[in-house]
Amino acid sequence: MRNPFLAGAAVVMTLAALAACGSSADGNGPEAAGAQRPAASGPAVPGPTAGTPTTPDPHSAGKPEEPAAAGPTAPDATAKGPKTAPDEITPATGTFTKKQKEYLEDRVPKGMDPAAVLQTGQETCAKLRYLVKADRDTAVGAIATDEIPDAAAAVAGLCPRHQDLVDEAAYAYPDGTHTGKELRPGVYRSASPTTGCSWQITGAGGEELSSGRSGTGTSRKITIPESARTFTSTGCYAWLPEGADG
């Protein structure tokens, strides 16, 4: 049963704030392709020494960090516009690892500190780590709903341990209306629904095939049949596939 407070965007925003202070977040340790974060004291506050590599504290491995308020985030590195050439991507001090350079390639807008772009990706990995600890379904839902944007790129380049979340999110349905080729027959469960969660599945000609509500905020399961033409969900946050293949 999903805890009522782990519902929708409020959960993602709250836990994302906690993630911002994680000095040993995914993407900074050996498990994240050898990445060493060129940042000052944490991913939330870029500063003049943001290019200095830091070494994770081995005594903090596996332990949640103390909560703290989230700091400012670097501008969106995926925005359109001229990008810094790969051979010009260097931190103010220190060095980037090979994996970090690969992640930053074609992602650093002209004139932007590459360490700030790297920090944004590392913060994404930290958010996912915190969400997984609290509720895995919510973590997958946060990717599916794009509440954690650019998660696929950050995971692939900085914290591949979370690739399973990205893979599952690719088969999930966020709230909204889904039609035609978007629909994949199968069994799905609601992730962190609110008490106002409702859904409807219709077939050809608008015929209702099934509908329901989850007034208690508990997770529900539905089956999308081959004959489905439209699936509409409200207040359910996201629907995740049952089974590895969705």
Side-chain angles (χ1 to χ4, degrees):
M1 179 182 295
R2 211 65 58 219
N3 291 329
F5 70 91
L6 289 174
V11 176
V12 177
M13 293 176 64
T14 300
L15 293 175
L18 296 179
C21 71
S23 61
S24 60
D26 290 331
N28 303 325
E31 69 276 14
Q36 292 180 325
R37 182 181 64 221
S41 59
V45 186
T49 59
T52 304
T54 58
T55 303
D57 180 2
H59 299 293
S60 64
K63 298 180 181 179
E65 292 80 8
E66 291 297 323
T73 302
D76 183 5
T78 62
K80 295 181 179 179
K83 300 294 193 299
T84 303
D87 58 353
E88 297 177 2
I89 297 177
T90 55
T93 60
T95 60
F96 290 129
T97 67
K98 180 180 178 180
K99 286 295 184 182
Q100 288 172 340
K101 288 180 180 179
E102 291 175 355
Y103 171 75
L104 290 171
E105 186 171 342
D106 200 35
R107 300 183 63 81
V108 182
K110 279 283 188 181
M112 180 180 288
D113 181 1
V117 178
L118 177 63
Q119 177 177 288
T120 299
Q122 290 171 329
E123 287 176 351
T124 293
C125 290
K127 292 172 186 177
L128 290 175
R129 190 179 72 153
Y130 272 83
L131 286 171
V132 166
K133 287 181 179 180
D135 184 87
R136 187 183 182 282
D137 280 0
T138 300
V140 177
I143 299 173
T145 59
D146 205 30
E147 288 187 350
I148 297 184
D150 210 26
V155 167
L158 301 175
C159 48
R161 64 161 61 181
H162 295 315
Q163 187 61 48
D164 61 316
L165 305 179
V166 174
D167 293 343
E168 187 172 342
Y171 290 94
Y173 292 105
D175 273 340
T177 299
H178 308 273
T179 61
K181 294 182 179 180
E182 293 181 64
L183 297 180
R184 296 175 298 275
V187 179
Y188 296 82
R189 66 185 182 280
S190 54
S192 301
T194 69
T195 54
C197 172
S198 64
W199 65 90
Q200 182 184 54
I201 301 173
T202 60
E207 176 190 4
E208 182 177 292
L209 302 179
S210 65
S211 63
R213 301 182 61 86
S214 179
T216 61
T218 56
S219 182
R220 297 286 298 274
K221 289 186 180 182
I222 61 171
T223 298
I224 297 180
E226 292 276 359
S227 57
R229 295 294 179 269
T230 302
F231 170 44
T232 302
S233 170
T234 303
C236 304
Y237 190 43
W239 294 87
L240 311 186
E242 287 284 293
D245 297 327

